[in-house]
Amino acid sequence: MTFVRACGLSELSEDTPKRVELDGTPVSVVHTEGEVFAINDICSHANVSLSEGEVEDCQIECWLHGSAFDLRTGKPSGLPATRPVPVYPVKIEGDDVLVSLTQES
């Protein structure tokens, strides 16, 4: 598994998604509940950025239609989204947040 630097841990605010682009893939990096998660930044229901939504209870909500996606699994918790979005492995080295675009789900 190859990890690339997405951002610095110090750049992340609790429960505030940060959009980054890794090898042409839009990724939302989220620091919440003491962990850092990486999830594909495009809603599976509509072509909008998830990083513009709210984070609560380890979920990121699409601002357009209100579907929320679990940051651990990418699965939607309700309609209108029915398909999960990819989530990616994350590791922290010092202040670096490293993400692998190899999908966990």
Side-chain angles (χ1 to χ4, degrees):
M1 206 177 304
T2 302
F3 284 85
V4 295
R5 185 181 188 280
C7 62
L9 185 59
S10 59
E11 296 174 48
L12 299 175
S13 298
E14 186 78 10
D15 297 330
T16 303
K18 179 176 182 66
R19 181 184 168 107
V20 298
E21 193 161 307
L22 304 174
D23 295 329
T25 301
V27 176
S28 183
V29 180
V30 181
H31 183 228
T32 187
E33 299 183 8
E35 295 185 63
V36 178
F37 300 93
I39 188 167
N40 191 285
D41 193 47
I42 303 302
C43 178
S44 63
H45 169 255
N47 189 25
V48 297
S49 175
L50 292 176
S51 63
E52 295 178 29
E54 302 286 323
V55 173
E56 186 176 342
D57 296 329
C58 213
Q59 296 186 76
I60 189 167
E61 183 180 55
C62 177
W63 62 270
L64 187 60
H65 295 114
S67 288
F69 298 88
D70 189 301
L71 291 168
R72 297 167 293 236
T73 65
K75 293 180 182 172
S77 62
L79 298 174
T82 58
R83 294 184 328 254
V85 294
V87 296
Y88 307 106
V90 173
K91 66 180 180 179
I92 309 297
E93 289 184 357
D95 186 55
D96 292 333
V97 176
L98 305 173
V99 175
S100 174
L101 291 182
T102 302
Q103 295 178 22
E104 287 187 337
S105 66

